């Protein structure tokens, strides 16, 4: 190589000279105009430099040789070159244990870098993606849901009016539920390094980059590759629920917080493109977020009532901190002097309040000039946010606070009211373009995230509630609840629900398990109601499973009871779910309690593990159809909560196609779905990923509602029933009946996972 070239230039030259060799190894991998080959080689070259610096020239050559042999022995149109394979085996067998670890770590790292290169290349392709009507658009639309293209397709192809789309969006809700899950094995610190590698690689090829900028980016790229290689890939100690919560909340701070208003602005732009000169109202619940982190206690003994309390307070503390920072920025921007009479009156009230209690506010209040009325109003919000933040910090650290609760925000409307006032004033005085800027963005953020940032779902297994009821009936001398029939259970539960007397007192004998369940309900009663979403019962099989939770909420004095959601997971449970729901709706007390709304969760993971993917998918489809029929029969609006896993084996797959393939009438503008494990990083790890995720769910949900899929024909159903039956038999014959399967599974799992134990795979 000629001297005087930068590393980046040398790599590009090297990439071009080796391009033919790479294409011989993977002839169908990329097209002529792809950047993937260049991306691959520049990352590989940087890594080999790092490897040489750390482990010497010999190790670099060994890894290079293994890399070449691994590519060559299987590159000839699917035929294995056994001579190359044997040569590779000889190289690996000749290594001592220490060098074997370095080589295996190197290949793991190179695979990660290869994935990063592909992600950058996909992003490059997406930027060049054809628009509607261009060649190739049909293929692009198969797995993506561009909001602008979806609007245009609905208007021009399906003859929907812009107002129909606007009205549908105003009534639409997508609730994304982030869950902690062991499928995400990679540490957060390593994921962040991978993100910086992607960023450096993308910027390295941007047009107009100067040689100096290229050199600096190249140095940063090598530095991040070096740091990633030196970082342990696997957590050596399991994360606590609080760790999981902090990791989940980091996505809100890093991408979701800013990504949400950007996405909603794109929706406004897309509406404008189809001729609608109106923005979505700021309080439209188009996107919502929930969490299971710190609330999912099903099979996780580390999720205690204390943990649930801590994660709720932590989320409220993070929300108050985000709002406080945003308010400081907003005060800096809204420096206008002209305002409405309504706002001027509010300013006078605030100034009078400050003068009356100047000593109390002396710590952070400075007089604001009278020609800056918006800053006076927003300043009062900022001061109260400061109190709210410190109040939550005290509760989290000490369990109490000296700050009066009346000096904090206890309702999201208390924040939105002064913001709305500022918006009305700006709009009334000719400054509406300013109102539609950062102020509107902030109002949308507050409306979406509330004071709790996310709503925490509580999940518990039905048997744990049975334990509590059994302890109560035994203590009262009524016999064993566990041994009662379903009819006896329902009769007793309903009699107690219709009555007003306390069911038990402090003298109730409690095992640790019973105390844990009751203490969880006491935490729900103690904390603000907007901290929580649903109470999910896993392994729910009878109406009494739901009624027992309703009774426990009342007995533990939950002032605003959580909606109770039965979860049907295994194949038999899914088949029985419509009958269970019908029996539940036939109870007058319960039907009056839910006020025409019910949520049901269906599990993709357990059903897939129980019967195999094909059978599970078909049963999920049929169960949804039957559940909707039952709900319509009783005049109840049913919202189906989809517990989709991250991997394909756990129910994952392309989101766009998954939503559009749901049975007709099962979504109707309301979609709730889990985002778990490694999918959280893939969906929200970077701002552009967050944008795509919000766009994909919103567009596909809208399209399903306005252009429902066709119902399967009878002959299709018959064929699917036959295929599902055969599939289940074949799947179970291997997984459940083949005696050697577990040995094989453990062997493959341990080989792939390295230091992971069997516990991680449960």
């Amino acid at each position: 190589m000629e001297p005087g070239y930068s590393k980046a230039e040398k790599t590009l030259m090297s990439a071009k000279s080796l391009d033919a060799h790479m294409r011989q190894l993977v002839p169908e991998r990329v097209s002529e105009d792809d950047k993937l080959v260049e991306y691959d080689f520049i990352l590989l070259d940087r890594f080999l430099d790092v490897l040489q610096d750390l482990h010497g020239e010999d190790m670099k050559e060994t890894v290079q040789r293994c890399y070449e042999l691994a590519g060559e022995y299987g590159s000839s149109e699917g035929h294995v070159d056994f001579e190359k394979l044997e040569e590779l085996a000889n190289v690996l067998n000749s290594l001592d244990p220490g060098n074997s670890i370095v080589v295996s770590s190197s290949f793991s790292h190179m695979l990660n870098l290869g994935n990063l290169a592909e992600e950058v290349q996909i992003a490059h392709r997406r930027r060049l993606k054809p628009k509607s009507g261009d060649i190739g658009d049909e293929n692009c639309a198969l797995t993506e849901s561009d909001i602008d293209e979806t609007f245009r397709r609905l208007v021009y192809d399906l003859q929907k009016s812009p107002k129909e789309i606007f009205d549908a969006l105003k009534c639409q809700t997508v609730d994304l539920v982030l869950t902690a899950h062991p499928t995400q094995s990679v540490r957060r610190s390593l994921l962040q390094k991978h993100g910086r590698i992607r960023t450096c690689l993308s910027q390295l090829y941007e047009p107009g980059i100067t040689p100096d900028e290229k050199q600096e980016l190249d140095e940063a790229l090598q530095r991040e590759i070096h740091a990633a290689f030196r970082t342990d890939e696997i957590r050596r100690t399991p994360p606590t629920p609080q760790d999981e919560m902090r990791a989940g909340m980091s996505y809100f701070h890093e991408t979701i917080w800013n990504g949400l208003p950007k996405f909603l602005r794109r929706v406004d732009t897309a509406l404008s493109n189809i001729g609608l000169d109106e923005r979505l109202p700021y309080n439209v619940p188009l996107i919502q977020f929930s969490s299971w982190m710190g609330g999912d206690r099903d099979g996780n003994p580390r999720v205690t009532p204390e943990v649930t309390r801590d994660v709720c307070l932590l989320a409220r503390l993070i929300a108050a901190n985000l709002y406080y920072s945003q308010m400081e920025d907003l005060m800096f921007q809204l420096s206008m002097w002209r305002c409405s009479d309504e706002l001027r009156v509010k300013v006078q009230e605030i100034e009078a309040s400050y003068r009356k209690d100047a000593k109390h506010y002396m710590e952070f209040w400075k007089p604001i000039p009278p020609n800056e009325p918006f800053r006076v109003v927003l300043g009062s919000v900022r001061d109260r946010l400061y109190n709210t933040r410190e109040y939550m910090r005290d509760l989290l650290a000490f369990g109490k606070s000296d700050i009066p609760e009346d000096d904090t925000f206890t309702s999201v409307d208390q924040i939105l009211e002064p913001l709305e006032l500022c918006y009305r004033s700006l709009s009334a005085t000719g400054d509406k373009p300013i109102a539609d800027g950062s102020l509107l963005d902030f109002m949308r953020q507050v409306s979406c995230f509330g004071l709790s940032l996310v709503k925490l779902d509580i999940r518990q297994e039905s048997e744990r509630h049975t334990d509590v009821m059994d302890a109560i009936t035994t203590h009262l001398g009524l016999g064993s609840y566990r041994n009662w029939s379903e009819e006896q259970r329902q009769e007793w539960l309903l009699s107690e629900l219709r009555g007003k007397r306390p069911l038990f007192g402090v003298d109730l004998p409690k095992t640790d398990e019973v105390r844990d369940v009751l203490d969880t309900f006491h935490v729900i009663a103690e904390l603000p109601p907007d901290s929580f979403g649903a109470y999910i019962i896993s392994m729910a099989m009878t109406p009494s499973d739901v009624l027992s939770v309703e009774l426990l909420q009342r007995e533990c004095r939950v002032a605003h009871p959580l909606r109770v959601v039965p979860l049907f997971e295994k194949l038999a449970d899914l088949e029985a779910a419509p009958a269970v729901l019908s029996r539940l709706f036939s109870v007058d007390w319960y039907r009056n309690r839910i006020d025409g709304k019910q949520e049901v969760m269906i599990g993709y993971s357990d059903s897939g593990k129980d019967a195999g993917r094909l059978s599970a998918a078909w049963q999920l489809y049929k169960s949804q159809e039957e559940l909707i029929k039952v709900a319509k029969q009783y005049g109840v609006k049913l919202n189906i909560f989809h517990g989709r896993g991250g991997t394909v084996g756990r129910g994952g797959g392309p989101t766009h196609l998954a939503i559009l393939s749901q049975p007709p009438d099962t979504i109707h503008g309301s979609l709730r779905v889990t985002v778990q494990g490694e999918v959280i990083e893939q969906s929200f790890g970077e701002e552009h990923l967050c944008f795509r995720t919000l766009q994909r769910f919103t567009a596909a949900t809208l399209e399903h509602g306005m252009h429902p899929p066709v119902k399967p024909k009878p002959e299709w159903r018959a064929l699917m029933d036959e295929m599902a039956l055969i599939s289940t038999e074949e799947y179970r014959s291997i997984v459940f009946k083949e005696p050697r399967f577990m040995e094989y599974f453990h062997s493959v799992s341990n080989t792939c996972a390295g230091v992971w134990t069997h516990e991680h795979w449960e």
Side-chain angles (χ1 to χ4, degrees):
M1 191 71 67
E2 292 292 331
Y5 291 103
S6 69
K7 273 194 173 183
E9 291 168 328
K10 289 179 182 178
T11 300
L12 292 179
M13 295 168 67
S14 171
K16 292 176 181 178
S17 66
L18 292 172
D19 180 71
H21 174 65
M22 175 59 78
R23 293 184 189 282
Q24 183 181 5
L25 294 180
V26 279
E28 301 300 328
R29 188 176 182 185
V30 292
S31 62
E32 289 297 325
D33 61 340
D34 280 331
K35 295 282 188 180
L36 183 56
V37 171
E38 293 181 11
Y39 294 152
D40 272 335
F41 270 101
I42 194 169
L43 293 181
L44 179 61
D45 183 73
R46 294 299 168 273
F47 171 68
L48 292 175
D49 285 345
V50 169
L51 189 64
Q52 179 175 327
D53 292 342
L54 296 176
H55 297 283
E57 180 71 26
D58 290 344
M59 179 55 66
K60 172 186 175 182
E61 291 179 356
T62 299
V63 170
Q64 281 183 302
R65 183 59 181 152
C66 291
Y67 181 81
E68 292 171 1
L69 291 171
E72 290 172 353
Y73 84 76
S75 62
S76 302
E77 299 179 357
H79 300 296
V80 177
D81 186 338
F82 288 99
E83 290 184 3
K84 296 291 185 182
L85 182 59
E86 184 176 359
E87 187 177 350
L88 174 61
N90 291 335
V91 173
L92 296 175
N93 289 333
S94 67
L95 299 173
D96 61 48
N99 287 338
S100 295
I101 293 175
V102 175
V103 170
S104 61
S105 298
S106 298
F107 269 83
S108 176
H109 194 56
M110 288 191 293
L111 287 171
N112 287 334
L113 294 176
N115 288 337
L116 296 176
E118 189 168 356
E119 290 170 15
V120 174
Q121 190 259 355
I122 289 172
H124 172 76
R125 269 187 169 185
R126 189 168 283 112
R127 286 192 293 270
L128 302 177
K129 189 183 78 168
K131 292 295 182 182
S132 292
D134 292 346
I135 297 174
D137 176 66
E138 182 179 352
N139 293 331
C140 293
L142 288 176
T143 57
E144 282 295 332
S145 303
D146 182 278
I147 197 74
D148 188 65
E149 291 178 2
T150 299
F151 285 3
R152 292 178 184 274
R153 187 162 56 251
L154 289 172
V155 169
Y156 300 115
D157 295 346
L158 301 175
Q159 305 302 308
K160 304 293 183 181
S161 70
K163 188 177 185 308
E164 286 179 295
I165 295 174
F166 186 70
D167 291 342
L169 284 173
K170 287 194 295 184
C171 299
Q172 180 172 307
T173 299
V174 173
D175 189 354
L176 303 178
V177 185
L178 276 60
T179 75
H181 201 278
T183 53
Q184 177 54 289
S185 61
V186 183
R187 297 170 59 199
R188 180 70 179 151
S189 57
L190 191 57
L191 292 171
Q192 290 176 338
K193 292 177 177 62
H194 288 169
R196 290 192 289 270
I197 291 171
R198 280 193 298 264
T199 300
C200 289
L201 189 59
S202 300
Q203 293 175 351
L204 201 59
Y205 288 89
E206 287 184 353
I209 187 172
T210 67
D212 288 344
E213 291 171 335
K214 182 177 290 188
Q215 181 178 344
E216 291 162 3
L217 279 171
D218 189 70
E219 291 174 355
L221 184 64
Q222 183 148 350
R223 183 165 56 248
E224 294 298 338
I225 292 173
H226 188 146
F229 185 57
R230 284 296 213 190
T231 300
D232 196 352
E233 290 189 76
I234 304 296
R235 300 184 187 96
R236 299 300 169 175
T237 57
T240 66
Q242 290 93 331
D243 292 334
E244 293 171 343
M245 179 63 172
R246 289 187 180 91
M249 292 302 99
S250 68
Y251 291 99
F252 286 88
H253 184 268
E254 294 169 10
T255 63
I256 298 175
W257 175 257
N258 290 322
L260 176 78
K262 288 183 179 179
F263 166 68
L264 293 175
R265 285 193 171 278
R266 180 60 56 84
V267 175
D268 288 339
T269 301
L271 288 170
S272 175
N273 290 340
I274 58 173
L276 194 68
D277 188 22
E278 190 173 358
R279 295 182 183 274
L280 277 179
Y282 79 87
N283 55 355
V284 167
L286 193 61
I287 297 290
Q288 294 181 330
F289 292 94
S290 300
S291 171
W292 279 14
M293 300 175 188
D296 183 6
R297 56 223 331 112
D298 182 10
N300 189 346
R302 293 179 300 152
V303 180
T304 63
E306 293 75 22
V307 165
T308 297
R309 179 182 181 276
D310 286 351
V311 297
C312 286
L313 294 176
L314 177 62
R316 298 180 82 86
L317 172 61
I318 294 172
N321 202 41
L322 285 169
Y323 291 167
Y324 184 84
S325 299
Q326 193 83 351
M327 188 59 63
E328 294 260 283
D329 293 339
L330 200 58
M331 287 178 66
F332 186 80
Q333 294 178 35
L334 297 186
S335 56
M336 289 65 67
W337 59 269
R338 188 190 302 272
C339 71
S340 64
D341 293 339
E342 181 187 22
L343 188 82
R344 186 72 67 187
V345 170
K346 183 66 175 178
V347 169
Q348 293 170 356
E349 292 176 358
I350 293 171
E351 290 176 338
S353 175
Y354 276 139
R355 285 192 293 270
K356 181 180 179 182
D357 200 6
K359 182 178 179 181
H360 180 70
Y361 291 103
M362 190 177 297
E363 182 179 353
F364 45 74
W365 182 64
K366 296 179 181 179
I368 298 176
N371 63 337
E372 295 179 349
F374 293 97
R375 289 183 173 177
V376 174
V377 174
L378 298 179
S380 68
V381 177
R382 176 204 58 189
D383 297 344
R384 200 166 174 183
L385 283 170
Y386 176 87
N387 284 337
T388 305
R389 183 183 66 183
E390 297 308 304
Y391 180 77
M392 291 302 160
R393 199 190 307 276
D394 290 346
L395 290 183
L396 194 58
F398 311 113
K400 60 180 181 179
S401 177
D402 294 333
I403 299 173
E405 190 175 17
D406 289 344
D407 290 343
T408 69
F409 284 114
T410 58
S411 165
V412 70
D413 291 337
Q414 294 171 335
I415 303 179
L416 288 171
E417 183 180 352
L419 298 179
E420 289 175 338
L421 175 59
C422 291
Y423 189 92
R424 289 196 302 271
S425 177
L426 288 168
S427 301
T429 55
D431 294 328
K432 193 172 187 304
I434 299 174
D436 286 334
S438 298
L439 177 58
L440 178 60
D441 288 343
F442 186 46
M443 293 168 68
R444 284 172 164 173
Q445 288 168 320
V446 173
S447 179
C448 173
F449 299 116
L451 292 176
S452 62
L453 193 62
V454 293
K455 293 185 181 298
L456 183 69
D457 283 355
I458 304 296
R459 184 168 79 131
Q460 183 59 277
E461 205 265 330
S462 60
E463 275 297 303
R464 299 292 296 275
H465 306 130
T466 300
D467 292 341
V468 177
M469 290 301 160
D470 190 71
I472 294 172
T473 58
T474 301
H475 178 63
L476 296 176
L478 300 176
S480 174
Y481 179 88
R482 184 180 302 280
N483 295 330
W484 291 354
S485 67
E486 173 62 18
E487 288 72 20
Q488 286 177 289
R489 292 183 180 186
Q490 286 189 45
E491 182 181 356
W492 179 74
L493 290 168
L494 287 170
S495 68
E496 293 298 331
L497 284 165
R498 292 182 178 119
K500 296 182 179 180
R501 65 169 184 172
L503 186 58
F504 60 88
V506 294
D507 60 335
L508 175 69
K510 305 182 185 75
T511 63
D512 290 342
E513 290 77 10
V514 169
R515 182 177 293 104
D516 182 86
V517 173
L518 293 176
D519 286 351
T520 298
F521 281 104
H522 289 142
V523 168
I524 297 172
E526 169 196 349
L527 294 175
D530 63 343
S531 294
F532 299 101
Y535 194 105
I536 298 163
I537 312 170
S538 58
M539 302 303 294
M541 292 179 281
T542 60
S544 64
D545 290 332
V546 175
L547 296 175
S548 62
V549 174
E550 294 283 5
L551 181 57
L552 288 173
Q553 289 197 85
R554 193 198 72 179
E555 289 302 311
C556 295
R557 294 174 174 79
V558 179
H560 299 84
L562 278 59
R563 63 186 188 275
V564 183
V565 179
L567 165 56
F568 303 102
E569 301 176 84
K570 294 187 177 180
L571 192 66
D573 297 337
L574 287 168
E575 292 171 347
V580 172
L581 204 64
S582 179
R583 292 173 67 186
L584 188 60
F585 288 161
S586 66
V587 177
D588 293 340
W589 180 93
Y590 185 76
R591 207 163 57 252
N592 294 331
R593 155 78 177 89
I594 61 176
D595 192 27
K597 298 177 183 178
Q598 175 67 49
E599 183 175 321
V600 168
M601 184 174 181
I602 54 175
Y604 287 59
S605 174
D606 280 0
S607 58
K609 288 183 288 187
D610 181 35
R613 281 277 293 142
L614 177 64
S615 299
W618 180 232
Q619 187 57 54
L620 284 163
Y621 188 96
K622 293 195 296 182
S623 295
Q624 289 185 74
E625 289 183 315
E626 294 303 315
L627 288 169
I628 290 294
K629 287 181 183 178
V630 170
K632 286 183 176 180
Q633 178 184 346
Y634 287 92
V636 175
K637 180 181 179 182
L638 188 68
N639 186 27
I640 298 178
F641 180 10
H642 298 263
R644 299 181 75 226
T647 63
V648 172
R650 295 181 59 85
T655 299
H656 172 87
L657 295 179
I659 294 174
L660 293 184
S661 64
Q662 298 305 308
D665 298 326
T666 57
I667 293 181
H668 46 68
S670 182
L671 177 69
R672 196 163 197 252
V673 61
T674 57
V675 183
Q676 59 183 228
E678 74 281 6
V679 176
I680 297 178
E681 172 67 21
Q682 295 167 6
S683 301
F684 301 107
E686 296 184 48
E687 207 163 282
H688 76 277
L689 296 176
C690 174
F691 182 90
R692 282 174 48 207
T693 298
L694 301 182
Q695 177 170 251
R696 185 184 301 126
F697 276 103
T698 300
T701 302
L702 177 69
E703 185 170 350
H704 185 281
M706 301 196 73
H707 182 54
V710 297
K711 293 183 178 181
K713 297 178 180 179
E715 55 268 31
W716 297 355
R717 292 181 179 276
L719 180 59
M720 284 301 301
D721 286 337
E722 183 180 356
M723 292 170 62
L725 182 62
I726 296 171
S727 173
T728 300
E729 292 176 353
E730 290 296 321
Y731 172 81
R732 290 178 174 171
S733 70
I734 297 174
V735 175
F736 296 104
K737 299 177 182 179
E738 170 56 62
R740 298 171 296 170
F741 175 76
M742 290 307 296
E743 179 184 354
Y744 160 78
F745 182 75
H746 286 179
S747 175
V748 173
S749 300
N750 290 334
T751 300
C752 293
V755 298
W756 274 38
T757 65
H758 176 67
E759 177 186 356
H760 290 93
W761 289 93
E762 286 297 312

